[in-house]
Structures are given as structure tokens and as C-alpha cells.
Amino acid sequence: MNPPATRSPQFPSHEPTDPGSRTARQAWIIVALLLGAYVISFLDRQILALMVKPIRADLGISDTQMSLLMGIAFSLFYSLFGIPIARLADRFSRRGVIVSGMALWCLATAMCGLAQRYLSLFLARVGVGVGEAALSPAAYSLICDYFPAEKRASAISLYSTGTSVGAGLALLAGGALIHFAPALDLPLIGAIKPWQTVFLVLGAIGLLYCPLLLLIREPARRQDDIAKATEKLQLRAVLSSNKRTLTLHHLGFAVFMLAAYGSAAWVPVYFMRVQGWTPAHVGLVYGIVIAVFGTLGMIVGGSIADRLFRRGRIAACLQVSSIAALVSIPFAVGVVFAGDIRVQVICLAIATFTFNVPIGLGPAAIQEIVPTRARAQTSAIFLLVVNLVGQGLGPTAVALFTDHVFGRDAAVGLSLIAVNVGALLLAALLLALACGPYRESYRRLRASSSGI
């Protein structure tokens, strides 16, 4: 453990590269605009958790097939396309990349509403994944050019609250929307079921938001001494010199997100199947829990990490996340095993808080150990690993336990516990092991600016 530092000259506060071109207020407005796009992206992702029953019934599919729609159909292509799209973001207009990607994923969301068969719905979900791959790597890079190092964890964590706000709105508004959405008979298309109407509405909302992103000003990329010393360093060299750090970092956060995404996909199903709740009831309760406690988890986690970073704890993002993984375990178990429904909801709220702590800290940590021109691409590789392992395997891991280990739909709660406990223990270990290598990577990048 590093002793507290009395002063921290290694953490300079860099002013924007174009003094007077943007204020702190403008920077937070940019974060708010990006946050809005992120919220909409998670509306499109999370809404599936409330529509398992009607989609399974209409398409005649199993829990495992449904999990592929929630997981691999989206995450595989989100991850694979993230790297080439991030290269565009590192070289060209990040605003342009984001706007184009959002238009694509919103159109694909609308196509989900026109799907009549499992394959067409699967392919539409692939389109959503490809479009959303344009958002976060470019957004992280933009935020880093608007904020100095000692404020980035808070700024990126605020942007990352889009996951909880979006998921919460999907459950809150989605539950009501599913309840009131009508069946339609569209010209040239035919009959549209209520769950398909939901997708059409969400796609339209996103397309209407796209023009607002044109208000974002593309900032000059920060070119401090560290960036100038390393700008010509190729991505392969960056990855090679930080191999151990990035491996432990990526896997630690990915396994943590395996538990988080698995829970987000199947906790609503657990309350509907086992507790007998309606989709509207689940949407109200779980939506409030995610929107409030998920958001607080990211904001508090980012604030604590920034404060520890200023005190000399270089690996603060990793340390805070490792502790959050351990704290999550008893409450994740309590969601299923607590005897009283009120205690279950309290456990759900606390687990949601701790599950969301690392969401902003993982990408924030990366920004401090790689040069400017490699940030979007390195972030895309991180998102590739996190989404393949977390969102790709999390929902499916729970479904496989339900379908093939326990062999009954009502055992979904036991499946959640089995996946969560194992994943959280492993995540805590990997993130703790990553702290030492991370400090070395951080100091090596700083030393390069002085020619050491």
C-alpha cells in the first residue's frame, strides 16, 4: 500500500490546449450530451429483459436462445467493430463517428420491431451492437480532452451513469410502455405485436436525439509533454509494454461485468417467475433501484477514486473496484436467499450500487497509462474484452445454469447466485493483482516525457 503523499507534483493540472476556447461549464455540457446518447443506448439494450416472456412465446425459443439476443448477438459485434471504429475516432472527427453510429443503432432498434423470426431479430441486434460500438471509445477520448487528469474519473463516471439511468428508464418506462403498447397493422408490413411496437418507439426516440450531438465542438487533442513524447509510438508497442497491466485490468473488470450483466438480464425474470411480479411491477421497483443506486454507485466510485488519486494512490480506480467486488457478494446472495421480499429489495439496491462502482473506473484507469493517440483504440480493446466476457457470457452463463444444470425455469435465482459469487471473487483477485503492474505502467509513461 502506498503511503499518503503530502504533495503530488506527478499529478499536474493541465489547462485546455486552447485557453479560453471552452469553459468548465461547457465541458460538463459535453458530458451531458454524451450521457444522453449513452442513456438511449442502454434503453435499447435493457428493454429485452422485460420482454422475455412475449418474445419467447411468439418466436418459440428457449432461455438460452433468448440470452443470445441479450448477450452475444449484441456484444460480439459491438466488440469486434469497436476497434476499427475507434481507429477512425483517433484519426478523424469523434463527433462525426458518434453521430453516424447512433443513427445506425437507432435504425437497427427499429428493425427489431419489424422482425418476424428469430434470425431476423438476431441480425437486427447485431446492427444495434455495431452502431453502439461508435459511442464510448470516441466519448472517452473527447472527455479526456475536456478534463485534466485529476478530474477524469469523475467525468467518465458521470458519463457512465448512462448505463444505470438508461437501464432504469428501460425498466420504468419500458414496463409501462409494454403494458400500454398496442398491436399494430402496418401497411406493407402486416401485424406488429406490442413488444415490436416498443422497439419502433425506442428507435424513433434515438433518431430524434441524434441532431443534438451536432452541438458538440470537436476539441483540439491534448498534446502535453507526455503525449508529444509518445505520439509516434504505435498501438502494438503500447500494448506490448503494458501487457501484464492491461491483461489483469481487462480481465478483472470483464469478470466483474459478467456478474453485473448476468444480473441485469435475469433479475427481472427472477422476480416475475419466482415472486410472481408483473413486468410493470418489476419495471417500477427495479427501474428505480437501477436509476438511483446504480447512478450513485458510479458517481461515488468516481469521486472516491479521484480523491485517492490526488492523495498519491495511483491505482485508486483498481483498488476501489476490487473492494466493491468483495462487498457485492453477500448482497447478491441476499437478493435470492433473504426470506423477506423487503430485505431482498434492500439487498438488490446495495448490490446494484456496488455493481456499478467499477463501470466508470475501468475506462478512466486506461486513460492514465496510454498516450493520447492510442486512447480510443485501447479503450475499444478494453470494451471488446468487457463486452465479450461480461455482456456476451454473463446472460448466457445464467441461462445455461438454469437450462442445463438445474433444469427448471424456477431455478433462475440459484443460477444467479452460482454465477455471481464465482465471478465476483475472481474479479476482486484479478483487480488486486493488477495494482502493482498498473503503478509501473503509469510511472513509465510519465518518465518517457523527460526522456528517461
Side-chain angles (χ1 to χ4, degrees):
M1 181 178 296
N2 292 342
T6 56
R7 59 189 182 94
S8 52
Q10 69 270 41
F11 310 133
S13 295
H14 297 291
E15 293 299 322
T17 51
D18 301 319
S21 65
R22 55 187 181 273
T23 64
R25 182 180 176 183
Q26 290 173 327
W28 288 110
I29 290 174
I30 297 304
V31 174
L33 288 170
L34 294 170
L35 170 61
Y38 208 21
V39 166
I40 292 171
S41 76
F42 262 78
L43 277 167
D44 298 343
R45 298 189 207 183
Q46 185 65 30
I47 196 68
L48 275 175
L50 286 181
M51 300 193 295
V52 171
K53 185 175 180 179
I55 293 176
R56 279 189 61 184
D58 287 342
L59 300 183
I61 59 178
S62 66
D63 268 3
T64 300
Q65 288 174 298
M66 189 70 204
S67 75
L68 296 178
L69 294 175
M70 294 188 284
I72 204 70
F74 172 90
S75 62
L76 176 61
F77 293 90
Y78 177 97
S79 304
L80 293 179
F81 278 81
I83 295 175
I85 293 175
R87 291 188 68 182
L88 295 177
D90 276 335
R91 297 182 181 183
F92 303 105
S93 168
R94 291 161 288 188
R95 181 185 66 178
V97 169
I98 291 172
V99 172
S100 300
M102 186 170 188
L104 173 59
W105 94 61
C106 293
L107 286 171
T109 298
M111 291 302 297
C112 290
L114 301 178
Q116 300 292 332
R117 298 178 181 175
Y118 179 73
L119 179 59
S120 56
L121 182 55
F122 187 96
L123 292 176
R125 289 289 292 171
V126 168
V128 175
V130 173
E132 289 192 20
L135 177 57
S136 284
Y140 297 149
S141 181
L142 279 171
I143 291 170
C144 284
D145 283 334
Y146 273 103
F147 290 88
E150 64 270 21
K151 294 183 179 180
R152 286 175 188 157
S154 292
I156 291 178
S157 289
L158 178 60
Y159 162 75
S160 298
T161 61
T163 62
S164 58
V165 175
L169 284 177
L171 293 165
L172 281 167
L177 187 57
I178 291 167
H179 182 75
F180 292 107
L184 302 174
D185 191 2
L186 300 180
L188 303 178
I189 295 173
I192 296 293
K193 300 290 179 67
W195 62 267
Q196 294 173 298
T197 302
V198 172
F199 281 121
L200 292 173
V201 171
L202 292 178
I205 290 172
L207 289 172
L208 290 173
Y209 186 85
C210 275
L212 290 177
L213 295 175
L214 296 175
L215 297 174
I216 295 175
R217 293 179 58 187
E218 179 72 24
R221 299 177 193 265
R222 284 181 180 270
Q223 296 294 331
D224 55 25
D225 291 339
I226 295 171
K228 290 176 181 177
T230 57
E231 183 175 359
K232 295 183 179 179
L233 196 61
Q234 295 183 359
L235 178 63
R236 184 178 298 177
V238 173
L239 299 177
S240 177
S241 63
N242 295 288
K243 182 177 180 180
R244 189 178 175 212
T245 302
L246 293 176
T247 298
L248 291 170
H249 171 281
H250 290 8
L251 289 178
F253 282 102
V255 174
F256 201 143
M257 289 301 99
L258 187 151
Y261 279 119
S263 295
W266 293 106
V267 162
V269 178
Y270 164 77
F271 281 104
M272 286 186 281
R273 284 183 185 171
V274 179
Q275 301 296 340
W277 289 11
T278 64
H281 190 186
V282 173
L284 177 63
V285 175
Y286 195 29
I288 291 174
V289 165
I290 290 181
V292 175
F293 292 92
T295 300
L296 284 174
M298 278 178 270
I299 293 175
V300 172
S303 177
I304 292 174
D306 272 343
R307 185 172 302 177
L308 292 175
F309 183 83
R310 288 193 293 269
R311 293 179 180 177
R313 301 292 181 90
I314 295 171
C317 289
L318 303 179
Q319 293 168 335
V320 172
S321 299
S322 181
I323 293 171
L326 291 176
V327 173
S328 297
I329 294 174
F331 298 104
V333 173
V335 171
V336 176
F337 279 167
D340 186 280
I341 191 64
R342 290 168 295 184
V343 178
Q344 287 180 292
V345 173
I346 291 172
C347 288
L348 179 62
I350 298 173
T352 299
F353 178 95
T354 53
F355 273 19
N356 281 272
V357 165
I359 291 178
L361 302 186
I366 293 174
Q367 313 309 314
E368 305 308 323
I369 61 172
V370 298
T372 299
R373 289 286 179 177
R375 280 176 178 157
Q377 294 175 77
T378 310
S379 296
I381 294 171
F382 167 66
L383 291 173
L384 183 151
V385 177
V386 166
N387 283 283
L388 282 180
V389 175
Q391 189 162 3
L393 297 181
T396 301
V398 176
L400 288 173
F401 267 88
T402 303
D403 285 345
H404 300 291
V405 176
F406 299 111
R408 52 194 176 90
D409 286 355
V412 64
L414 297 177
S415 301
L416 281 166
I417 290 176
V419 171
N420 284 342
V421 172
L424 292 169
L425 285 172
L426 181 58
L429 175 62
L430 290 170
L431 292 171
L433 292 174
C435 291
Y438 182 88
R439 296 185 192 101
E440 295 175 7
S441 294
Y442 180 90
R443 290 169 179 145
R444 183 166 54 248
L445 182 62
R446 267 63 194 165
S448 69
S449 66
S450 59
I452 296 176

PDB file of all heavy atoms in Angstrom, residues 174-201:
ATOM      1  N   GLY A 174     -40.198   1.290 -19.731  1.00  0.00           N
ATOM      2  CA  GLY A 174     -40.444   0.098 -20.531  1.00  0.00           C
ATOM      3  C   GLY A 174     -41.573  -0.743 -19.988  1.00  0.00           C
ATOM      4  O   GLY A 174     -42.385  -1.286 -20.742  1.00  0.00           O
ATOM      5  N   GLY A 175     -41.631  -0.864 -18.660  1.00  0.00           N
ATOM      6  CA  GLY A 175     -42.717  -1.639 -18.063  1.00  0.00           C
ATOM      7  C   GLY A 175     -44.068  -1.054 -18.418  1.00  0.00           C
ATOM      8  O   GLY A 175     -45.007  -1.766 -18.783  1.00  0.00           O
ATOM      9  N   ALA A 176     -44.167   0.287 -18.335  1.00  0.00           N
ATOM     10  CA  ALA A 176     -45.431   0.944 -18.698  1.00  0.00           C
ATOM     11  C   ALA A 176     -45.677   0.866 -20.197  1.00  0.00           C
ATOM     12  O   ALA A 176     -46.806   0.634 -20.646  1.00  0.00           O
ATOM     13  CB  ALA A 176     -45.383   2.406 -18.251  1.00  0.00           C
ATOM     14  N   LEU A 177     -44.595   1.048 -20.977  1.00  0.00           N
ATOM     15  CA  LEU A 177     -44.744   1.013 -22.435  1.00  0.00           C
ATOM     16  C   LEU A 177     -45.205  -0.358 -22.911  1.00  0.00           C
ATOM     17  O   LEU A 177     -46.070  -0.478 -23.775  1.00  0.00           O
ATOM     18  CB  LEU A 177     -43.409   1.386 -23.089  1.00  0.00           C
ATOM     19  CG  LEU A 177     -43.401   1.570 -24.602  1.00  0.00           C
ATOM     20  CD1 LEU A 177     -44.401   2.632 -25.025  1.00  0.00           C
ATOM     21  CD2 LEU A 177     -41.994   1.950 -25.072  1.00  0.00           C
ATOM     22  N   ILE A 178     -44.632  -1.405 -22.311  1.00  0.00           N
ATOM     23  CA  ILE A 178     -45.043  -2.762 -22.672  1.00  0.00           C
ATOM     24  C   ILE A 178     -46.508  -2.990 -22.318  1.00  0.00           C
ATOM     25  O   ILE A 178     -47.253  -3.641 -23.045  1.00  0.00           O
ATOM     26  CB  ILE A 178     -44.141  -3.789 -21.958  1.00  0.00           C
ATOM     27  CG1 ILE A 178     -42.728  -3.728 -22.541  1.00  0.00           C
ATOM     28  CG2 ILE A 178     -44.695  -5.206 -22.093  1.00  0.00           C
ATOM     29  CD1 ILE A 178     -41.709  -4.465 -21.710  1.00  0.00           C
ATOM     30  N   HIS A 179     -46.907  -2.427 -21.168  1.00  0.00           N
ATOM     31  CA  HIS A 179     -48.288  -2.614 -20.715  1.00  0.00           C
ATOM     32  C   HIS A 179     -49.282  -1.930 -21.648  1.00  0.00           C
ATOM     33  O   HIS A 179     -50.358  -2.472 -21.928  1.00  0.00           O
ATOM     34  CB  HIS A 179     -48.436  -2.064 -19.295  1.00  0.00           C
ATOM     35  CG  HIS A 179     -49.801  -2.238 -18.717  1.00  0.00           C
ATOM     36  ND1 HIS A 179     -50.280  -3.453 -18.270  1.00  0.00           N
ATOM     37  CD2 HIS A 179     -50.808  -1.334 -18.518  1.00  0.00           C
ATOM     38  CE1 HIS A 179     -51.518  -3.301 -17.823  1.00  0.00           C
ATOM     39  NE2 HIS A 179     -51.859  -2.027 -17.958  1.00  0.00           N
ATOM     40  N   PHE A 180     -48.911  -0.726 -22.131  1.00  0.00           N
ATOM     41  CA  PHE A 180     -49.869   0.062 -22.924  1.00  0.00           C
ATOM     42  C   PHE A 180     -49.621  -0.020 -24.431  1.00  0.00           C
ATOM     43  O   PHE A 180     -50.453   0.445 -25.212  1.00  0.00           O
ATOM     44  CB  PHE A 180     -49.825   1.527 -22.489  1.00  0.00           C
ATOM     45  CG  PHE A 180     -50.352   1.762 -21.103  1.00  0.00           C
ATOM     46  CD1 PHE A 180     -49.495   2.064 -20.063  1.00  0.00           C
ATOM     47  CD2 PHE A 180     -51.711   1.663 -20.843  1.00  0.00           C
ATOM     48  CE1 PHE A 180     -49.978   2.276 -18.780  1.00  0.00           C
ATOM     49  CE2 PHE A 180     -52.206   1.877 -19.554  1.00  0.00           C
ATOM     50  CZ  PHE A 180     -51.338   2.186 -18.528  1.00  0.00           C
ATOM     51  N   ALA A 181     -48.470  -0.583 -24.854  1.00  0.00           N
ATOM     52  CA  ALA A 181     -48.156  -0.623 -26.288  1.00  0.00           C
ATOM     53  C   ALA A 181     -49.206  -1.429 -27.036  1.00  0.00           C
ATOM     54  O   ALA A 181     -49.530  -2.558 -26.658  1.00  0.00           O
ATOM     55  CB  ALA A 181     -46.771  -1.228 -26.503  1.00  0.00           C
ATOM     56  N   PRO A 182     -49.727  -0.870 -28.110  1.00  0.00           N
ATOM     57  CA  PRO A 182     -50.767  -1.577 -28.852  1.00  0.00           C
ATOM     58  C   PRO A 182     -50.178  -2.500 -29.920  1.00  0.00           C
ATOM     59  O   PRO A 182     -49.045  -2.319 -30.364  1.00  0.00           O
ATOM     60  CB  PRO A 182     -51.540  -0.433 -29.517  1.00  0.00           C
ATOM     61  CG  PRO A 182     -50.481   0.599 -29.780  1.00  0.00           C
ATOM     62  CD  PRO A 182     -49.510   0.502 -28.623  1.00  0.00           C
ATOM     63  N   ALA A 183     -50.948  -3.466 -30.316  1.00  0.00           N
ATOM     64  CA  ALA A 183     -50.633  -4.214 -31.523  1.00  0.00           C
ATOM     65  C   ALA A 183     -51.009  -3.335 -32.714  1.00  0.00           C
ATOM     66  O   ALA A 183     -51.976  -2.567 -32.649  1.00  0.00           O
ATOM     67  CB  ALA A 183     -51.403  -5.529 -31.553  1.00  0.00           C
ATOM     68  N   LEU A 184     -50.216  -3.413 -33.775  1.00  0.00           N
ATOM     69  CA  LEU A 184     -50.452  -2.562 -34.934  1.00  0.00           C
ATOM     70  C   LEU A 184     -50.604  -3.400 -36.197  1.00  0.00           C
ATOM     71  O   LEU A 184     -50.143  -4.542 -36.263  1.00  0.00           O
ATOM     72  CB  LEU A 184     -49.280  -1.582 -35.121  1.00  0.00           C
ATOM     73  CG  LEU A 184     -48.960  -0.635 -33.954  1.00  0.00           C
ATOM     74  CD1 LEU A 184     -47.696   0.158 -34.262  1.00  0.00           C
ATOM     75  CD2 LEU A 184     -50.125   0.311 -33.675  1.00  0.00           C
ATOM     76  N   ASP A 185     -51.223  -2.800 -37.183  1.00  0.00           N
ATOM     77  CA  ASP A 185     -51.321  -3.427 -38.508  1.00  0.00           C
ATOM     78  C   ASP A 185     -50.799  -2.403 -39.503  1.00  0.00           C
ATOM     79  O   ASP A 185     -51.515  -1.493 -39.924  1.00  0.00           O
ATOM     80  CB  ASP A 185     -52.757  -3.824 -38.821  1.00  0.00           C
ATOM     81  CG  ASP A 185     -52.860  -4.708 -40.062  1.00  0.00           C
ATOM     82  OD1 ASP A 185     -51.797  -5.024 -40.642  1.00  0.00           O
ATOM     83  OD2 ASP A 185     -53.978  -5.079 -40.452  1.00  0.00           O
ATOM     84  N   LEU A 186     -49.503  -2.529 -39.857  1.00  0.00           N
ATOM     85  CA  LEU A 186     -48.856  -1.531 -40.689  1.00  0.00           C
ATOM     86  C   LEU A 186     -48.944  -1.897 -42.164  1.00  0.00           C
ATOM     87  O   LEU A 186     -48.798  -3.073 -42.521  1.00  0.00           O
ATOM     88  CB  LEU A 186     -47.378  -1.399 -40.279  1.00  0.00           C
ATOM     89  CG  LEU A 186     -47.109  -0.975 -38.837  1.00  0.00           C
ATOM     90  CD1 LEU A 186     -45.617  -0.900 -38.587  1.00  0.00           C
ATOM     91  CD2 LEU A 186     -47.773   0.357 -38.522  1.00  0.00           C
ATOM     92  N   PRO A 187     -49.139  -0.906 -43.032  1.00  0.00           N
ATOM     93  CA  PRO A 187     -49.172  -1.167 -44.475  1.00  0.00           C
ATOM     94  C   PRO A 187     -47.852  -1.783 -44.951  1.00  0.00           C
ATOM     95  O   PRO A 187     -46.769  -1.367 -44.514  1.00  0.00           O
ATOM     96  CB  PRO A 187     -49.383   0.232 -45.074  1.00  0.00           C
ATOM     97  CG  PRO A 187     -49.975   1.044 -43.975  1.00  0.00           C
ATOM     98  CD  PRO A 187     -49.409   0.498 -42.709  1.00  0.00           C
ATOM     99  N   LEU A 188     -47.927  -2.756 -45.802  1.00  0.00           N
ATOM    100  CA  LEU A 188     -46.788  -3.448 -46.407  1.00  0.00           C
ATOM    101  C   LEU A 188     -46.003  -4.328 -45.427  1.00  0.00           C
ATOM    102  O   LEU A 188     -45.151  -5.105 -45.837  1.00  0.00           O
ATOM    103  CB  LEU A 188     -45.807  -2.453 -47.058  1.00  0.00           C
ATOM    104  CG  LEU A 188     -46.392  -1.517 -48.128  1.00  0.00           C
ATOM    105  CD1 LEU A 188     -45.306  -0.573 -48.636  1.00  0.00           C
ATOM    106  CD2 LEU A 188     -46.986  -2.320 -49.271  1.00  0.00           C
ATOM    107  N   ILE A 189     -46.277  -4.181 -44.142  1.00  0.00           N
ATOM    108  CA  ILE A 189     -45.543  -4.943 -43.137  1.00  0.00           C
ATOM    109  C   ILE A 189     -46.435  -5.988 -42.486  1.00  0.00           C
ATOM    110  O   ILE A 189     -46.034  -7.138 -42.297  1.00  0.00           O
ATOM    111  CB  ILE A 189     -44.949  -3.993 -42.069  1.00  0.00           C
ATOM    112  CG1 ILE A 189     -43.906  -3.079 -42.728  1.00  0.00           C
ATOM    113  CG2 ILE A 189     -44.311  -4.790 -40.930  1.00  0.00           C
ATOM    114  CD1 ILE A 189     -43.381  -1.999 -41.830  1.00  0.00           C
ATOM    115  N   GLY A 190     -47.633  -5.595 -42.147  1.00  0.00           N
ATOM    116  CA  GLY A 190     -48.563  -6.526 -41.529  1.00  0.00           C
ATOM    117  C   GLY A 190     -48.699  -6.324 -40.040  1.00  0.00           C
ATOM    118  O   GLY A 190     -48.449  -5.237 -39.511  1.00  0.00           O
ATOM    119  N   ALA A 191     -49.072  -7.389 -39.357  1.00  0.00           N
ATOM    120  CA  ALA A 191     -49.345  -7.317 -37.917  1.00  0.00           C
ATOM    121  C   ALA A 191     -48.064  -7.112 -37.123  1.00  0.00           C
ATOM    122  O   ALA A 191     -47.048  -7.768 -37.359  1.00  0.00           O
ATOM    123  CB  ALA A 191     -50.050  -8.586 -37.461  1.00  0.00           C
ATOM    124  N   ILE A 192     -48.112  -6.205 -36.169  1.00  0.00           N
ATOM    125  CA  ILE A 192     -46.997  -5.908 -35.267  1.00  0.00           C
ATOM    126  C   ILE A 192     -47.468  -6.147 -33.840  1.00  0.00           C
ATOM    127  O   ILE A 192     -48.464  -5.568 -33.396  1.00  0.00           O
ATOM    128  CB  ILE A 192     -46.524  -4.446 -35.427  1.00  0.00           C
ATOM    129  CG1 ILE A 192     -45.958  -4.213 -36.829  1.00  0.00           C
ATOM    130  CG2 ILE A 192     -45.503  -4.084 -34.372  1.00  0.00           C
ATOM    131  CD1 ILE A 192     -44.691  -4.954 -37.124  1.00  0.00           C
ATOM    132  N   LYS A 193     -46.741  -7.002 -33.112  1.00  0.00           N
ATOM    133  CA  LYS A 193     -47.098  -7.298 -31.724  1.00  0.00           C
ATOM    134  C   LYS A 193     -46.691  -6.132 -30.816  1.00  0.00           C
ATOM    135  O   LYS A 193     -45.838  -5.303 -31.180  1.00  0.00           O
ATOM    136  CB  LYS A 193     -46.392  -8.578 -31.277  1.00  0.00           C
ATOM    137  CG  LYS A 193     -46.744  -9.806 -32.107  1.00  0.00           C
ATOM    138  CD  LYS A 193     -48.176 -10.226 -31.850  1.00  0.00           C
ATOM    139  CE  LYS A 193     -48.551 -11.444 -32.686  1.00  0.00           C
ATOM    140  NZ  LYS A 193     -47.821 -12.663 -32.294  1.00  0.00           N
ATOM    141  N   PRO A 194     -47.265  -6.051 -29.605  1.00  0.00           N
ATOM    142  CA  PRO A 194     -46.908  -4.961 -28.689  1.00  0.00           C
ATOM    143  C   PRO A 194     -45.405  -4.849 -28.413  1.00  0.00           C
ATOM    144  O   PRO A 194     -44.878  -3.729 -28.341  1.00  0.00           O
ATOM    145  CB  PRO A 194     -47.699  -5.309 -27.424  1.00  0.00           C
ATOM    146  CG  PRO A 194     -48.904  -6.026 -27.935  1.00  0.00           C
ATOM    147  CD  PRO A 194     -48.414  -6.846 -29.097  1.00  0.00           C
ATOM    148  N   TRP A 195     -44.695  -5.988 -28.254  1.00  0.00           N
ATOM    149  CA  TRP A 195     -43.259  -5.899 -27.968  1.00  0.00           C
ATOM    150  C   TRP A 195     -42.500  -5.315 -29.158  1.00  0.00           C
ATOM    151  O   TRP A 195     -41.464  -4.648 -28.981  1.00  0.00           O
ATOM    152  CB  TRP A 195     -42.675  -7.256 -27.576  1.00  0.00           C
ATOM    153  CG  TRP A 195     -42.732  -8.357 -28.598  1.00  0.00           C
ATOM    154  CD1 TRP A 195     -43.695  -9.297 -28.737  1.00  0.00           C
ATOM    155  CD2 TRP A 195     -41.760  -8.631 -29.624  1.00  0.00           C
ATOM    156  NE1 TRP A 195     -43.403 -10.156 -29.787  1.00  0.00           N
ATOM    157  CE2 TRP A 195     -42.215  -9.771 -30.336  1.00  0.00           C
ATOM    158  CE3 TRP A 195     -40.551  -8.044 -30.001  1.00  0.00           C
ATOM    159  CZ2 TRP A 195     -41.502 -10.315 -31.403  1.00  0.00           C
ATOM    160  CZ3 TRP A 195     -39.834  -8.587 -31.066  1.00  0.00           C
ATOM    161  CH2 TRP A 195     -40.312  -9.717 -31.753  1.00  0.00           C
ATOM    162  N   GLN A 196     -43.015  -5.524 -30.374  1.00  0.00           N
ATOM    163  CA  GLN A 196     -42.388  -4.933 -31.547  1.00  0.00           C
ATOM    164  C   GLN A 196     -42.628  -3.424 -31.605  1.00  0.00           C
ATOM    165  O   GLN A 196     -41.756  -2.658 -32.019  1.00  0.00           O
ATOM    166  CB  GLN A 196     -42.920  -5.607 -32.812  1.00  0.00           C
ATOM    167  CG  GLN A 196     -42.525  -7.076 -32.927  1.00  0.00           C
ATOM    168  CD  GLN A 196     -43.210  -7.770 -34.097  1.00  0.00           C
ATOM    169  OE1 GLN A 196     -44.438  -7.861 -34.125  1.00  0.00           O
ATOM    170  NE2 GLN A 196     -42.422  -8.232 -35.059  1.00  0.00           N
ATOM    171  N   THR A 197     -43.820  -3.008 -31.165  1.00  0.00           N
ATOM    172  CA  THR A 197     -44.118  -1.580 -31.100  1.00  0.00           C
ATOM    173  C   THR A 197     -43.141  -0.858 -30.194  1.00  0.00           C
ATOM    174  O   THR A 197     -42.707   0.274 -30.471  1.00  0.00           O
ATOM    175  CB  THR A 197     -45.555  -1.356 -30.590  1.00  0.00           C
ATOM    176  OG1 THR A 197     -46.473  -2.031 -31.454  1.00  0.00           O
ATOM    177  CG2 THR A 197     -45.899   0.117 -30.536  1.00  0.00           C
ATOM    178  N   VAL A 198     -42.747  -1.500 -29.088  1.00  0.00           N
ATOM    179  CA  VAL A 198     -41.792  -0.908 -28.151  1.00  0.00           C
ATOM    180  C   VAL A 198     -40.482  -0.588 -28.869  1.00  0.00           C
ATOM    181  O   VAL A 198     -39.914   0.506 -28.714  1.00  0.00           O
ATOM    182  CB  VAL A 198     -41.552  -1.859 -26.959  1.00  0.00           C
ATOM    183  CG1 VAL A 198     -40.405  -1.344 -26.085  1.00  0.00           C
ATOM    184  CG2 VAL A 198     -42.820  -2.012 -26.137  1.00  0.00           C
ATOM    185  N   PHE A 199     -39.978  -1.522 -29.663  1.00  0.00           N
ATOM    186  CA  PHE A 199     -38.728  -1.289 -30.391  1.00  0.00           C
ATOM    187  C   PHE A 199     -38.868  -0.138 -31.387  1.00  0.00           C
ATOM    188  O   PHE A 199     -37.943   0.670 -31.562  1.00  0.00           O
ATOM    189  CB  PHE A 199     -38.299  -2.559 -31.126  1.00  0.00           C
ATOM    190  CG  PHE A 199     -37.644  -3.589 -30.245  1.00  0.00           C
ATOM    191  CD1 PHE A 199     -38.188  -4.863 -30.129  1.00  0.00           C
ATOM    192  CD2 PHE A 199     -36.488  -3.299 -29.556  1.00  0.00           C
ATOM    193  CE1 PHE A 199     -37.585  -5.820 -29.327  1.00  0.00           C
ATOM    194  CE2 PHE A 199     -35.870  -4.246 -28.758  1.00  0.00           C
ATOM    195  CZ  PHE A 199     -36.428  -5.507 -28.638  1.00  0.00           C
ATOM    196  N   LEU A 200     -39.988  -0.062 -32.066  1.00  0.00           N
ATOM    197  CA  LEU A 200     -40.202   1.019 -33.025  1.00  0.00           C
ATOM    198  C   LEU A 200     -40.181   2.385 -32.341  1.00  0.00           C
ATOM    199  O   LEU A 200     -39.595   3.350 -32.846  1.00  0.00           O
ATOM    200  CB  LEU A 200     -41.526   0.814 -33.758  1.00  0.00           C
ATOM    201  CG  LEU A 200     -41.598  -0.388 -34.716  1.00  0.00           C
ATOM    202  CD1 LEU A 200     -43.019  -0.567 -35.234  1.00  0.00           C
ATOM    203  CD2 LEU A 200     -40.632  -0.210 -35.879  1.00  0.00           C
ATOM    204  N   VAL A 201     -40.803   2.461 -31.170  1.00  0.00           N
ATOM    205  CA  VAL A 201     -40.828   3.726 -30.421  1.00  0.00           C
ATOM    206  C   VAL A 201     -39.422   4.112 -29.979  1.00  0.00           C
ATOM    207  O   VAL A 201     -39.000   5.270 -30.114  1.00  0.00           O
ATOM    208  CB  VAL A 201     -41.773   3.608 -29.208  1.00  0.00           C
ATOM    209  CG1 VAL A 201     -41.628   4.827 -28.298  1.00  0.00           C
ATOM    210  CG2 VAL A 201     -43.217   3.468 -29.678  1.00  0.00           C
TER     211      VAL A 201
END
